[in-house]
Structures are given as structure tokens and as C-alpha cells.
Amino acid sequence: MSVSTPKLFTAITLGGKKDPIQLRHRIAMAPLTRFRADSSGVQPSYAAKYYQQRSTRGGLIIAEATNISPSGRGFFCTPGILTQEQIDAWKPVTKAVHEEDGYGGSVENRARFLFEVIEEILKEVDSSKLAVRLSPYSKTCAQQDSDPATTVKYVFEKLSDYNLAYAHIIEPCVFHYTNELTPKEGATVYFRQFYKGILVTTSGYERDSTIDVVEAGQADIVAIGRYFISNPDLVKRFELNAPLARFDEGTMYFYTAGETGYTDYPFLSDEEATS
């Protein structure tokens, strides 16, 4: 009796009208901030080694969050919105720029900036080279949408018209926190019905749940984060159902310098890979 190949390990074509990207499997590496760049924002020479270790033929690696402006860096002397004093200082600013400027209030206005950015980008590149990542129920730094179900439903429905490479949704767990507003079935299942394109999901998945979510059609691709850090050959380990190396939380984030916990995680030995 032959054993069928799980859908997770089958090919998929990303969205887009012109030269859409072809993938050979449906396990993506999630964007992971690792704090290895220097004070000028320059990646170390071994960053190439880090990404190369986790690359597979026909696989998708979503690069870590990257600053697009010297004045827009998320760390090192940038304003916060965590303490009450910081929050209070932002209130008059948000009031001044959002009450009557077309970007606040209604769902359409709150989503306006996103779609204006998309329209500008699409003047320069084809939609096959553009993707959008959404975290509907994140409460990071005390920020959250008052009605994420309505807001993000509108966004996903409108994104469907753009034929993007993919849309990426984050389940509210791990660093993205569980939110009391999260649908019982989870963010991925709930919003899948509103988006017609290629959907990537991430956060909290292991091998079995990764296979299940793709088989059920709840998502087309699953992006793995922490286990891709500690298992550069994660795709092979998933395929063989091999044990996973545990990640070292002490070197995962928070300004750890050097290659320790970055490029020194083990690969399966030849014996392990064939046993």
C-alpha cells in the first residue's frame, strides 16, 4: 500500500499576474528579528550563512523586518508606547493627525494608508513581487484594534482584488499574545473565507498541525519561526518526521552578538536522515 505525500510537501504557485513565484513545498521561514546588525543597521557577514543554512530548493524565506528610513527604526532611541507616560504623549499626536485626515474613524479610512502604499508599490513592481502581512489580534506594546474582525475582513476582501504573491496572517499566540477577541476557530480559519489568494499562516505550529492546516485548506503555506532558527534543515526534518533541535531562548533575540545561537545549530547526520 503506497503512502501518499502530504500536501504540505507539494508544489504551489504564489499569486500575481506576471512571473508568479513557484514553490516546491509549503513550509516557509517566518520573518525573524535576530538583532545581529551593527549600530548602523548593517548585517554581519555571517548573516548570509544564517539564511543559506535555512534555504531549500523552491522554498520561501521571508526576510526579517528591515528599516526603510533612518528615522523609522523600531529600536535604539525610538519612541515607545508601552508606559503610561509614553501612551499619554502619543494621544495628542494621534488626535491631531487622525480625526479629520481621512485615515481614522471608519474601517475604510483605517485601511486607507495600507492600500495607498500598495497602489504606489504596484506602480513600480508586479503584484507577484508584493505580499502583505497582518496580525489582526496582536496586542504588542499595548496596541490593538477595537474591532479587528470587521477591519481585517474588509482588508482581506479588498486584498483579494490585487492578486498578490500572498497574504500572511499571524495567529495570536507566542509573542503575539492571545486576545479575548480572537475567534474560537482561530484567526487563520476565520479570515480564510474572506481572502481568495494564497494565504500564509504562522505562529505556534509544529509538524502535525502544519500538515493539518494545509491539508484542510485553511492555509496554503505555513511559515515556521523558532524551529527554523534551531533547525536549519527543518524541511527535511518535517519530511522525515525526525526529532527537532530545541531553540535556545537565551540567544534567540535581545541583542545577542556573534554566531552562537545563529549559525551553530545542528543538521541531521546522514545516519539520522536515513534511519
Side-chain angles (χ1 to χ4, degrees), residues 17-200:
K17 297 179 181 178
K18 184 179 180 181
D19 299 324
I21 297 172
Q22 311 285 324
L23 301 182
R24 293 197 172 197
H25 58 78
R26 301 170 183 234
I27 304 172
M29 179 176 170
L32 297 158
T33 301
R34 302 302 311 280
F35 301 107
R36 259 49 178 208
D38 64 19
S39 60
S40 298
V42 178
Q43 285 275 42
S45 59
Y46 46 81
K49 179 180 178 182
Y50 167 76
Y51 279 108
Q52 188 276 330
Q53 286 178 333
R54 287 150 184 82
S55 66
T56 57
R57 189 176 183 185
L60 174 64
I61 291 180
I62 307 170
E64 63 200 90
T66 306
N67 301 312
I68 62 171
S69 169
S71 61
R73 301 180 68 182
F75 300 91
F76 305 112
C77 301
T78 54
I81 192 168
L82 180 61
T83 68
Q84 191 60 51
E85 183 178 8
Q86 291 170 338
I87 293 171
D88 289 342
W90 276 110
K91 288 180 178 179
V93 177
T94 55
K95 182 178 180 180
V97 301
H98 288 297
E99 292 308 276
E100 298 178 1
D101 63 357
Y103 294 94
S106 68
V107 170
E108 293 80 2
N109 282 353
R110 296 204 302 275
R112 186 185 305 277
F113 182 74
L114 168 64
F115 289 104
E116 287 183 351
V117 171
I118 290 174
E119 292 289 347
E120 290 301 312
I121 293 174
L122 291 179
K123 292 178 182 178
E124 304 296 330
V125 301
D126 184 74
S127 63
S128 62
K129 303 301 187 291
L130 178 62
V132 172
R133 191 178 197 225
L134 299 171
S135 183
Y137 297 97
S138 173
K139 298 175 70 173
T140 304
C141 298
Q143 301 176 84
Q144 63 175 321
D145 192 286
S146 59
D147 187 7
T150 301
T151 302
V152 181
K153 173 181 179 291
Y154 171 81
V155 169
F156 269 122
E157 288 178 334
K158 190 165 183 177
L159 284 175
S160 295
D161 297 331
Y162 285 88
N163 197 14
L164 302 177
Y166 61 86
H168 189 172
I169 188 168
I170 304 174
E171 284 290 340
C173 59
V174 193
F175 289 133
H176 298 280
Y177 311 110
T178 299
N179 187 312
E180 63 277 4
L181 300 176
T182 305
K184 292 182 180 180
E185 64 270 37
T188 302
V189 174
Y190 180 75
F191 289 110
R192 165 85 276 186
Q193 61 186 313
F194 306 118
Y195 185 63
K196 300 175 183 177
I198 298 295
L199 183 65
V200 180

Side-chain angles (χ1 to χ4, degrees), residues 199-218:
L199 183 65
V200 180
T201 183
T202 195
S203 195
Y205 289 97
E206 297 187 358
R207 182 184 186 273
D208 289 348
S209 56
T210 299
I211 290 175
D212 290 344
V213 73
V214 174
E215 289 290 337
Q218 297 165 358

